[in-house]
Amino acid sequence: MRVSGNRVAGVLIVLAAAAVSQADVQTVVEHNGREAPSGDFKFENVPAPSRTDAATNAKITIANGRRDRNGGDVGVLRDGRGSGGQDEPGANFFFAPGTKGGRLLLDLGEITEVQKVNSYSWHSSTRGPQVYELFAADGKADGFEVEPKAEKDPVTCGWKRIAKVDTRPKEGVGGGQYGVSISDSDGTLGKFRYLLFDVSRTEDRDPFGNTFYSEIDVVDGKEHEAKTPLAPEPRREMVTAGNGKYEITIDTTETPDLSDWARDELAPLVKEWYPKLVEMMPSEGYEAPKQFAIVFSANMQGVASTGGTRVKCAANWMRQNLKGEAKGAIVHEMVHVVQQYNRARRSGRNTTRTPGWVVEGIADYVRWFLYEPESHGAEITGRRVASARYDASYRVSANFINWVSNTYDKELLKQLNTAAREARYSEDLWKEWTGRNLEELGAEWKEALAK
């Protein structure tokens, strides 16, 4: 194993005397640690995902199990794109939460001399490693079953067991990129039409142990042109910030018309402001994500949303606001990347939930009062004063937070953020910080607005 900076590259070659006609099946595993260097799969011995392999036109179906609807369909496993980041559900296939995995059937359409089978995955935590058994068949054996039931050993119905894959580390959660290449010392695994992947979850401590599979390639020594159009070539702008500490992927694959704006306008903003946001919202023992992705979606409705370390932007809205609110909206979403308020609540300790108006109010406070105060986008004037409530969320709550900060406690942002991140938020904290309870603060704020 070689360790170099934030990149961890591990190579493991397992020689297994498989119960098939081949000599020695070789399984090569390579691992780039959680801080993988870019949006591509780059290994020393496992090739990058291919767009011209034998699986390009294969039919992939779920033989057993259910897919997670938050992820991509099985088609993402043969599109050659891989994944642009460690938390891109839509670019990966994974089985439904709480399930033990399932089986994937790959039909090449005809008997093919298979030289290698490669698989790729990427996630920041336990959904990174790969655990599966690979079976293969030509479909001609007596009693062959193309989709054996989940409880049935495929070997008993015309399948050959090729290899067992388990890339889980002995210690730690095993986050990062994984590349697996299965081959044979004879140069060919055999002549097959069908491949069956019996996939297992990596852990059962929580419902989220199913691997994020990005790609499956089948190598037969030939180049195959896709019969149906594949997904477009990835368009990703890689941004490093904080003297190389942070890496942000800006993905405009679905919206190439926004690529120039993303490179010229958004990338400098992200480079400057993500480290600032991290510095604004610290808490003891916490380290903000070192990697996240901003993805522009052609079909998304609304404005933008953030899940974990993935910011998703609605391209139609962004196009209409490139010279207006687009950048500020993305700053708001980057605040959510830094917040990560759900982590402590997952620990199982006695924790409290931070109300949504605080979460969104903080994000809009940073946006309107620290990033673009000259826009006055969160001002409350005229008739709006009478109906204003401190817990109205977004701009209104941002205005309230700004007033409390200026009037009572300049450290309010840090204190609010720490309490929320540690899942110990309580309304009582406002009185501790300011000497006033929330209702009293709300009333004073409205009086100030009226004046």
Side-chain angles (χ1 to χ4, degrees):
M1 181 171 285
R2 175 172 58 85
V3 180
S4 176
N6 287 330
R7 175 184 170 90
V8 181
V11 181
L12 171 66
I13 300 180
V14 180
L15 300 180
V20 292
S21 60
Q22 296 91 341
D24 290 320
V25 174
Q26 302 174 346
T27 302
V28 178
V29 177
E30 289 196 89
H31 175 218
N32 293 329
R34 292 183 65 182
E35 310 306 330
S38 73
D40 300 319
F41 287 88
K42 295 179 180 179
F43 303 107
E44 294 179 3
N45 297 285
V46 176
S50 172
R51 296 171 70 91
T52 60
D53 65 290
T56 298
N57 295 309
K59 179 181 179 182
I60 304 180
T61 55
I62 300 174
N64 297 112
R66 295 181 292 110
R67 81 173 181 92
D68 192 319
R69 295 189 179 276
N70 291 314
D73 204 344
V74 288
V76 301
L77 295 172
R78 60 177 180 82
D79 63 8
R81 287 179 57 182
S83 178
Q86 62 183 354
D87 187 17
E88 284 205 35
N92 296 278
F93 172 88
F94 45 102
F95 286 101
T99 64
K100 298 180 180 180
R103 286 176 173 173
L104 294 171
L105 176 67
L106 193 151
D107 181 358
L108 296 171
E110 61 184 7
I111 294 176
T112 302
E113 188 168 4
V114 177
Q115 297 176 357
K116 295 180 180 180
V117 177
N118 304 329
S119 57
Y120 306 83
S121 59
W122 193 5
H123 191 264
S124 61
S125 188
T126 55
R127 309 181 87 160
Q130 302 179 28
V131 183
Y132 66 83
E133 283 191 82
L134 174 63
F135 300 86
D138 58 14
K140 294 183 176 181
D142 292 340
F144 173 70
E145 295 181 18
V146 68
E147 292 188 8
K149 293 182 179 180
E151 65 275 7
K152 194 169 188 178
D153 185 346
V155 172
T156 65
C157 53
W159 291 85
K160 293 181 179 180
R161 180 177 281 106
I162 302 298
K164 288 186 177 182
V165 173
D166 189 342
T167 71
R168 290 174 293 188
K170 292 182 180 180
E171 297 180 356
V173 298
Q177 294 177 339
Y178 288 85
V180 175
S181 184
I182 302 170
S183 60
D184 190 272
S185 59
D186 278 351
T188 178
L189 289 166
K191 294 183 178 181
F192 308 114
R193 173 176 173 173
Y194 303 100
L195 297 175
L196 185 68
F197 296 80
D198 192 355
V199 179
S200 300
R201 61 189 175 186
T202 65
E203 51 88 11
D204 60 3
R205 296 184 298 275
D206 56 48
F208 308 108
N210 283 308
T211 300
F212 273 33
Y213 285 96
S214 306
E215 177 82 4
I216 293 175
D217 287 347
V218 179
V219 179
D220 65 351
K222 304 175 184 177
E223 289 195 1
H224 300 261
E225 184 176 348
K227 295 179 181 178
T228 56
L230 290 174
E233 287 281 359
R235 286 175 172 260
R236 297 176 183 134
E237 184 77 21
M238 307 305 299
V239 180
T240 56
N243 295 321
K245 185 175 183 179
Y246 306 110
E247 186 177 80
I248 302 97
T249 303
I250 303 176
D251 192 327
T252 55
T253 301
E254 295 184 13
T255 58
D257 61 298
L258 293 175
S259 296
D260 289 347
W261 179 82
R263 181 191 65 242
D264 299 336
E265 300 288 335
L266 181 57
L269 163 72
V270 169
K271 183 181 182 70
E272 177 186 358
W273 272 87
Y274 186 68
K276 285 185 177 181
L277 298 177
V278 174
E279 187 176 355
M280 287 177 191
M281 300 190 295
S283 59
E284 186 176 355
Y286 173 77
E287 190 168 15
K290 293 183 179 179
Q291 291 182 324
F292 70 95
I294 300 172
V295 181
F296 288 83
S297 171
N299 300 316
M300 179 182 177
Q301 302 298 313
V303 178
S305 65
T306 299
T309 56
R310 186 170 188 261
V311 176
K312 192 173 181 181
C313 302
N316 288 335
W317 186 91
M318 290 289 167
R319 289 188 186 102
Q320 297 169 18
N321 292 275
L322 293 183
K323 295 183 179 180
E325 293 193 22
K327 291 182 184 178
I330 293 174
V331 168
H332 174 107
E333 299 304 326
M334 287 199 298
V335 172
H336 290 322
V337 174
V338 177
Q339 284 174 322
Q340 299 294 319
Y341 291 164
N342 288 326
R343 287 187 179 181
R345 295 190 67 225
R346 296 193 193 109
S347 67
R349 295 174 295 163
N350 185 21
T351 58
T352 61
R353 179 182 179 276
T354 304
W357 72 266
V358 173
V359 178
E360 299 297 346
I362 289 174
D364 255 11
Y365 164 71
V366 171
R367 172 190 176 175
W368 294 112
F369 292 96
L370 303 181
Y371 167 67
E372 50 180 334
E374 72 285 349
S375 68
H376 303 287
E379 283 192 355
I380 302 174
T381 57
R383 296 178 181 178
R384 296 170 57 211
V385 172
S387 60
R389 284 189 52 85
Y390 64 82
D391 59 357
S393 198
Y394 294 100
R395 302 184 194 216
V396 180
S397 293
N399 188 293
F400 172 71
I401 291 171
N402 180 65
W403 178 83
V404 176
S405 178
N406 289 334
T407 306
Y408 284 101
D409 192 344
K410 293 293 186 182
E411 296 297 308
L412 181 65
L413 173 61
K414 290 182 180 179
Q415 293 177 332
L416 258 182
N417 173 72
T418 298
R421 185 176 288 141
E422 295 176 353
R424 57 176 180 81
Y425 172 85
S426 167
E427 289 190 0
D428 294 338
L429 290 172
W430 293 88
K431 189 163 188 176
E432 179 182 322
W433 297 330
T434 68
R436 302 284 192 276
N437 63 38
L438 259 179
E439 294 302 323
E440 291 171 336
L441 289 169
E444 287 186 37
W445 164 65
K446 290 189 69 170
E447 287 180 9
L449 289 176
K451 293 177 181 178

